[in-house]
Amino acid sequence: MKLKDLYSFLKKDLQQIEDQLVQSVRSDQTLIHTAGVELLKAGGKRIRPVFVLLSAQFGTYNIQQIKKPAAALELIHMASLVHDDVVDDADMRRGRETVKAKYDNKIAMYTGDFIFASALKLMSEINIPRAHQILAQGMKEMCLGEIEQINEQYDTDQNVRKYFKRIKRKTALLIALSCQLGAITSKVDVSLQKKLYDFGFCVGMAFQITDDILDFTASEKQLGKPAGSDLKQGNLTLPVLYTMRQYPEFKEKLNVYYETNDPDLLAELLKDIKRLGGIEYATEISDKYLKRAKLAAASLPETDARDSLLKVADFIAGRKF
Amino acid sequence: MKLKDLYSFLKKDLQQIEDQLVQSVRSDQTLIHTAGVELLKAGGKRIRPVFVLLSAQFGTYNIQQIKKPAAALELIHMASLVHDDVVDDADMRRGRETVKAKYDNKIAMYTGDFIFASALKLMSEINIPRAHQILAQGMKEMCLGEIEQINEQYDTDQNVRKYFKRIKRKTALLIALSCQLGAITSKVDVSLQKKLYDFGFCVGMAFQITDDILDFTASEKQLGKPAGSDLKQGNLTLPVLYTMRQYPEFKEKLNVYYETNDPDLLAELLKDIKRLGGIEYATEISDKYLKRAKLAAASLPETDARDSLLKVADFIAGRKF
């Protein structure tokens, strides 16, 4: 079963979104045009547009309208990846060279800015001021999440609460907004808008926690980078935070690792996390969010879209890599 | 005579814009909050808000409304400076440490993104879809201008036309939009909107050409960096492009300089530009734009705002550093 089989009735509409994406990054400036088209070709799951379209199905669905926020949310996601690659100094993403690696940091910075602006342009074409306000506020929060992540790197004194706040801003919010903006644009009943937002938020949380678990459990081949990269780079995720809280000697060892960078110690820490229940704990929390997401979706009207939302939630929170 | 004496009747309103700016960069994240407040304290001429307010005077002027686009345009300008400092690897701006230098590239990247998003949030509070569309398109163009500048660096085969396209996107457009969005927000008559846009555009062109001239003629103390920095960094501005066009042997010498980086050759080139009329030519072009700007302003209704626009145009195009 592939992800796209879960919403096959959207196939034609998703193609329209691809066309819209290409049109949005079009420019008379060859370099930025090429960089944009390459980013689009590199793919990605287009999960945000899917949530926009599925949520819009609960209202007056008009693909000519709804494709605009759907493409805008994907563009914002793309732009943030381009900027992340600049600050992470990343050369590869999704098995391809990053804009930063292929061109340089300057081009990547302004390509990111250009794609952000393209997203806003597209949003400005739907005449719903509240949608703009929600999106702009969401973008502010996303930036704060990124800065928190940098700020809290290597901070072994942080608690689990900080992690949740961070992944909310970094990931869950944009998925929640995808559902909300899809609903607002197609004038979904206000009571359902709230449910769709909650659904997106919980799926987003489960998605990120799963991502953070896979960084420990998936193979290097599956991840496209060595397992344990988050820990190595000082990104303290739920499995680590749990293990630190339960086992002070683990925290001690982690502090020593960050001082010495000893690779043997890293290998030991990675084993500890698995042995001491960090993965199980994080999986439990992810399952709770998934359950909450499905509860929210279950209360929606019984339609194909609702079925798809439920299946997509299971798929992305339950994926093995 | 100081710049702010040219629009003293706006003093109270400009204070409201300062307050709005502080409020817009407020956040629960100490680091980004501090960086934002420091950027605001570092000052700047606030020339974009001034143009917004002055243009708004020709319609139904309401400071509670107009302060939003005014602050938004300043925020966009600020954000672009923060991103420029990342890509230029600049440690000082306006005599202070840059965000990039004080924190690091990552923080500066997301601080820039945060300020961009804050600008959009503010714009989203005025309920005029056309204003959003104009601003979003303007931001796309600005990014293209930045990329063109990078792309055309050290390219001694470029012509004057490329320079004009570049500075239009890089500088003149945002000033033109300041005038236009001020006018749109306060519902200025459409025929006047066009004049205000033209005024802003021509002032912006004169402003940037003057800036590019001063890079050759002002002292290191006035500039806060060595004279001729643009030429050294491969930014080919009007005085250089003119001299290259007129004197093939100058172009030859410039190519040799970019291959050798010989400082004696740079000193010679800087002298050549002055001796061969590059400064005079650029000054002539700047004066033409200034004249066009004043012609546009002269056709506006006779008000204090019109007087101020005329004086501000003279001031910023005629400044000696």
Side-chain angles (χ1 to χ4, degrees):
Chain A
M1 196 72 169
K2 282 182 170 174
L3 184 59
K4 65 178 184 209
D5 297 330
L6 305 179
Y7 38 79
S8 49
F9 64 96
L10 292 178
K11 198 176 169 193
K12 266 193 189 165
D13 292 357
L14 284 167
Q15 186 52 51
Q16 290 221 36
I17 286 166
E18 290 303 312
D19 297 345
Q20 179 64 65
L21 288 170
V22 172
Q23 202 190 309
S24 285
V25 299
R26 188 163 290 164
S27 121
D28 62 359
Q29 222 291 307
T30 324
L31 199 59
I32 207 167
H33 182 79
T34 313
V37 169
E38 279 173 11
L39 280 168
L40 291 175
K41 272 199 209 144
K45 293 184 283 292
R46 305 286 191 254
I47 200 69
R48 290 155 196 83
V50 167
F51 283 131
V52 175
L53 298 191
L54 287 174
S55 298
Q57 291 268 336
F58 297 91
T60 317
Y61 187 92
N62 172 352
I63 183 63
Q64 293 315 317
Q65 273 293 96
I66 201 67
K67 72 177 181 182
K68 289 172 184 175
L73 281 153
E74 186 67 14
L75 289 169
I76 288 173
H77 172 63
M78 272 175 60
S80 74
L81 294 182
V82 174
H83 278 181
D84 288 353
D85 290 338
V86 175
V87 297
D88 292 342
D89 213 18
D91 289 332
M92 301 293 283
R93 154 124 25 214
R94 293 172 183 163
R96 290 176 181 241
E97 263 192 310
T98 59
V99 178
K100 183 209 103 43
K102 194 152 185 184
Y103 307 96
D104 73 356
N105 262 342
K106 297 186 187 193
I107 301 292
M109 164 78 89
Y110 294 118
T111 300
D113 287 352
F114 178 81
I115 298 174
F116 264 131
S118 304
L120 300 166
K121 171 107 192 295
L122 210 49
M123 278 301 287
S124 75
E125 291 171 16
I126 67 160
N127 191 351
I128 306 174
R130 197 173 145 240
H132 299 273
Q133 282 172 36
I134 289 171
L135 187 67
Q137 180 61 33
M139 286 172 63
K140 284 181 84 166
E141 298 273 335
M142 276 174 64
C143 296
L144 291 176
E146 294 290 352
I147 290 188
E148 271 156 13
Q149 173 157 336
I150 296 165
N151 219 10
E152 287 155 20
Q153 247 173 349
Y154 300 107
D155 174 7
T156 53
D157 288 327
Q158 68 182 286
N159 56 26
V160 171
R161 204 181 54 81
K162 283 210 172 173
Y163 169 79
F164 287 120
K165 193 174 171 195
R166 210 157 61 216
I167 68 167
K168 175 189 165 172
R169 282 177 157 167
K170 211 179 77 116
T171 307
L173 190 64
L174 198 59
I175 297 181
L177 293 185
S178 300
C179 295
Q180 187 182 20
L181 293 172
I184 289 176
T185 307
S186 73
K187 307 209 176 359
V188 170
D189 193 85
V190 175
S191 66
L192 297 187
Q193 282 184 23
K194 173 94 186 57
K195 287 174 183 173
L196 286 162
Y197 178 95
D198 287 343
F199 168 81
F201 173 75
C202 292
V203 167
M205 293 296 280
F207 177 77
Q208 186 60 54
I209 298 170
T210 304
D211 223 49
D212 293 341
I213 292 170
L214 290 171
D215 192 68
F216 293 103
T217 59
S219 68
E220 176 160 354
K221 201 180 156 200
Q222 287 167 329
L223 292 169
K225 60 183 176 182
S229 292
D230 282 338
L231 186 68
K232 199 176 164 194
Q233 285 161 18
N235 291 331
L236 303 180
T237 57
L238 195 51
V240 181
L241 293 170
Y242 167 83
T243 316
M244 274 205 301
R245 192 177 61 189
Q246 302 297 103
Y247 303 93
E249 64 278 19
F250 173 86
K251 180 174 165 178
E252 205 57 40
K253 208 191 272 182
L254 183 58
N255 281 329
V256 174
Y257 169 63
Y258 284 147
E259 274 160 31
T260 61
N261 266 317
D262 175 358
D264 292 339
L265 210 48
L266 176 63
E268 240 182 77
L269 287 163
L270 293 175
K271 270 188 204 152
D272 286 347
I273 290 163
K274 288 184 187 171
R275 188 171 54 85
L276 299 172
I279 304 299
E280 279 86 348
Y281 176 78
T283 308
E284 251 172 58
I285 304 285
S286 173
D287 284 347
K288 269 191 194 165
Y289 275 112
L290 180 59
K291 219 169 155 186
R292 270 180 56 189
K294 289 168 80 173
L295 215 61
S299 69
L300 295 164
E302 287 180 38
T303 60
D304 285 352
R306 189 188 79 156
D307 280 357
S308 292
L309 286 177
L310 286 165
K311 285 180 193 156
V312 171
D314 270 327
F315 189 95
I316 69 171
R319 73 198 192 283
K320 291 287 165 276
F321 58 91
Chain B
M1 195 71 166
K2 281 182 169 175
L3 184 58
K4 65 178 183 204
D5 297 332
L6 305 179
Y7 38 79
S8 49
F9 64 96
L10 292 177
K11 198 177 168 192
K12 266 193 190 165
D13 292 357
L14 284 168
Q15 186 51 52
Q16 291 220 35
I17 285 165
E18 290 302 312
D19 298 344
Q20 179 64 66
L21 288 170
V22 171
Q23 203 190 309
S24 285
V25 300
R26 187 163 291 165
S27 121
D28 62 358
Q29 223 290 310
T30 324
L31 198 60
I32 207 167
H33 182 80
T34 312
V37 169
E38 279 174 11
L39 279 167
L40 291 176
K41 271 198 209 145
K45 293 184 283 293
R46 305 286 190 253
I47 200 71
R48 290 154 196 84
V50 167
F51 282 130
V52 175
L53 298 191
L54 287 174
S55 299
Q57 291 269 333
F58 296 91
T60 316
Y61 186 92
N62 171 353
I63 184 64
Q64 292 315 318
Q65 272 294 93
I66 201 67
K67 71 177 181 182
K68 290 173 184 174
L73 281 153
E74 186 67 13
L75 289 170
I76 288 173
H77 173 62
M78 273 174 60
S80 75
L81 293 183
V82 174
H83 278 181
D84 287 354
D85 290 337
V86 175
V87 299
D88 292 343
D89 213 17
D91 289 333
M92 300 292 282
R93 154 122 28 211
R94 294 174 182 162
R96 289 177 184 240
E97 263 192 309
T98 58
V99 178
K100 183 209 105 41
K102 194 152 186 185
Y103 307 96
D104 72 358
N105 263 342
K106 298 187 187 192
I107 300 291
M109 165 78 88
Y110 294 118
T111 300
D113 287 352
F114 178 81
I115 298 174
F116 263 131
S118 304
L120 300 166
K121 170 107 192 297
L122 210 50
M123 278 302 286
S124 75
E125 291 171 17
I126 67 160
N127 192 352
I128 306 174
R130 196 173 147 240
H132 299 275
Q133 282 171 36
I134 289 171
L135 187 66
Q137 180 60 33
M139 286 172 63
K140 284 181 84 166
E141 298 272 335
M142 276 173 65
C143 296
L144 292 176
E146 294 290 351
I147 291 189
E148 271 157 12
Q149 172 157 337
I150 296 166
N151 218 11
E152 287 156 19
Q153 246 173 347
Y154 300 108
D155 173 9
T156 52
D157 288 328
Q158 70 182 286
N159 57 27
V160 172
R161 204 182 54 82
K162 282 209 173 175
Y163 168 81
F164 286 121
K165 192 174 170 196
R166 211 157 60 217
I167 68 167
K168 174 187 167 175
R169 283 177 155 166
K170 210 178 76 115
T171 306
L173 189 64
L174 198 60
I175 297 181
L177 292 185
S178 300
C179 294
Q180 188 183 19
L181 292 173
I184 289 177
T185 307
S186 73
K187 309 209 174 357
V188 170
D189 193 86
V190 175
S191 66
L192 297 188
Q193 283 183 20
K194 171 96 186 57
K195 287 175 185 174
L196 286 162
Y197 178 95
D198 287 344
F199 168 81
F201 174 75
C202 292
V203 166
M205 294 295 280
F207 177 75
Q208 186 60 52
I209 297 170
T210 304
D211 223 48
D212 294 341
I213 293 170
L214 289 172
D215 192 69
F216 293 104
T217 58
S219 67
E220 176 159 355
K221 201 182 154 198
Q222 288 166 329
L223 293 169
K225 59 184 177 182
S229 293
D230 281 339
L231 186 67
K232 200 176 164 193
Q233 286 162 19
N235 291 332
L236 303 180
T237 57
L238 195 51
V240 181
L241 293 169
Y242 167 83
T243 315
M244 276 205 300
R245 191 177 62 189
Q246 302 298 101
Y247 303 94
E249 64 278 18
F250 173 86
K251 180 174 167 178
E252 204 58 40
K253 207 190 274 183
L254 183 58
N255 281 329
V256 174
Y257 169 64
Y258 284 146
E259 275 160 31
T260 60
N261 265 317
D262 175 357
D264 292 339
L265 210 48
L266 176 64
E268 237 183 81
L269 287 163
L270 294 175
K271 269 189 206 154
D272 287 348
I273 290 163
K274 289 183 187 173
R275 190 172 52 87
L276 299 172
I279 304 298
E280 279 86 349
Y281 176 78
T283 307
E284 250 173 58
I285 304 285
S286 173
D287 284 347
K288 269 190 194 164
Y289 276 112
L290 180 60
K291 218 169 156 185
R292 270 180 56 191
K294 289 168 78 172
L295 216 61
S299 68
L300 294 165
E302 287 180 40
T303 60
D304 285 352
R306 189 188 79 157
D307 280 357
S308 292
L309 286 177
L310 286 165
K311 285 181 194 157
V312 171
D314 269 328
F315 189 95
I316 70 171
R319 73 196 191 286
K320 290 288 164 276
F321 60 90

